Structure formats: C-alpha cells, structure tokens
Amino acid sequence: VGCSLSDYIKNFTIICKNAPVTGRTLEGYKRHLFPDYNSMNKKQFLDSFKNKKYLDMGSGINHIFKKSLLYQLIKRKYRALGMDLYDFPNAHKNFKTGSVMNTNLNTNTYDIITSQYFLYYWLDEPDKILVALKEMNRILKPGGTIRIYPVYYANYHFNNDPLIRYFEKHFTIRINKPD
C-alpha cells in the first residue's frame, strides 16, 4: 500500500507525507539485513530463528505478506512480532501497533530486532534515532542483535556526540555491506 491519492494531490509530488505501508520479501531481508547468512538456503535461514524471539520494527504489512520473513516465521509458529505505527483494521496476534520511541514491550525480550527502510530512512534525526535505539536496546536481550538497513556507512552517528557515546557504551558495531 503506497501513498494515498490525496497525498499526491495535496503535496503536488510523488513523495508521501507519511511512510507508505509496505511488505518486504524474505529474500530482501536476508540480502540486506543478514548478508552473513548468505551461505544458508531458505530452510536453514528460517530454522536459525527457531529458538529466538524476533521483532520486525517498522514492519508494515509483513505479518500478512506471504513473501516476507515475518510471515514465514509466523507460519512456522516461531516467536515473531511485527510493530508499526499503523493501526490495521484487523487485529493479528503477531502484530502490534506502536512506536519505536516507546514500544510498551517488556525489557530484555527479543533476541533479534530488525528495521528495514525505517531507521535512518524515515526516521533520520539524530535525537530521535538515539531515543529509538535506547528503546530497542531496552527490549533487546543481552547478547541480542539489532540489524538495520540502510545505514549511512560513513556517518551512522551524524557526528552527534550523545549518539556516538551511546553507540560506544552499548553496542558493538559491525557493518556488513550487502552484495
């Protein structure tokens, strides 16, 4: 689901006022967010989530999009949740409407959190990224991973001192450039 016709008319542009609600494929997630898993086939890749708790932040319709990673994990009855700002008309047990700024999720809950085309893309202000990272770090289990795509390789911290200090204190940064 992309921009509404009213967005096009109001803004006189093809740029949406708000982020469109989208679904992204499992292959795209694997290529962009898990390039270190490239040697795995689809089954092996999905099996690697079996005993993990997974959150797709900014998930759009991935909880109902059959080609998505989140949908495939849900279908296998793995512990997987999508979260987005959008309030979808039909409730779904593997989707929560909410904000990355305050998820209302339990502390130390998720082994893997992904964000594809959300952080650094729709949310690109250093102060807001810092709030988002603090919240994701709060709900991440110790030793868990947060995988974000795209990231600005040369300046993911925007030369913002509080953001730099938070990264240095709480994260080990590893940048995997996808093929």
Side-chain angles (χ1 to χ4, degrees):
V1 178
C3 301
S4 69
L5 181 59
S6 64
D7 273 338
Y8 293 132
I9 293 168
K10 285 180 198 171
N11 301 318
F12 297 106
T13 179
I14 60 170
I15 298 173
C16 301
K17 179 180 174 188
N18 296 310
V21 181
T22 60
R24 294 169 301 277
T25 66
L26 179 148
E27 292 78 14
Y29 268 62
K30 187 177 175 195
R31 185 174 61 253
H32 293 147
L33 291 160
F34 296 90
D36 49 326
Y37 288 52
N38 272 345
S39 63
M40 293 182 183
N41 64 33
K42 180 180 174 181
K43 181 185 180 323
Q44 292 168 324
F45 177 61
L46 290 170
D47 285 349
S48 72
F49 289 83
K50 186 173 186 175
N51 297 312
K52 308 268 192 227
K53 196 157 186 188
Y54 170 72
L55 174 65
D56 187 12
M57 182 59 67
S59 65
I61 64 168
N62 286 338
H63 61 293
I64 58 173
F65 180 52
K66 291 181 180 181
K67 294 182 179 182
S68 76
L69 171 61
L70 180 59
Y71 183 90
Q72 293 296 313
L73 296 176
I74 292 168
K75 186 172 135 183
R76 289 170 173 251
K77 303 201 182 317
Y78 291 176
R79 296 175 298 162
L81 179 72
M83 178 176 271
D84 206 299
L85 285 173
Y86 295 97
D87 190 11
F88 288 95
N90 300 320
H92 193 284
K93 71 177 188 169
N94 296 89
F95 178 83
K96 178 178 168 61
T97 299
S99 170
V100 68
M101 303 301 188
N102 182 10
T103 63
N104 291 314
L105 297 171
N106 293 332
T107 300
N108 300 330
T109 301
Y110 293 91
D111 298 287
I112 302 168
I113 300 172
T114 57
S115 172
Q116 187 180 40
Y117 293 110
F118 170 56
L119 281 179
Y120 290 92
Y121 193 79
W122 286 101
L123 184 63
D124 63 356
E125 298 170 38
D127 294 342
K128 290 181 179 178
I129 289 174
L130 180 58
V131 171
L133 286 171
K134 285 180 178 180
E135 179 63 5
M136 289 194 302
N137 194 39
R138 182 188 69 76
I139 63 174
L140 187 71
K141 286 182 181 176
T145 61
I146 299 173
R147 291 173 178 251
I148 302 168
Y149 180 88
V151 172
Y152 303 112
Y153 297 117
N155 193 3
Y156 59 86
H157 47 69
F158 296 101
N159 295 319
N160 178 282
D161 288 336
L163 191 52
I164 291 169
R165 283 193 298 278
Y166 191 77
F167 274 125
E168 289 174 348
K169 182 175 181 182
H170 296 282
F171 295 101
T172 300
I173 304 295
R174 187 171 93 197
I175 298 176
N176 293 320
K177 187 175 179 182
D179 293 338

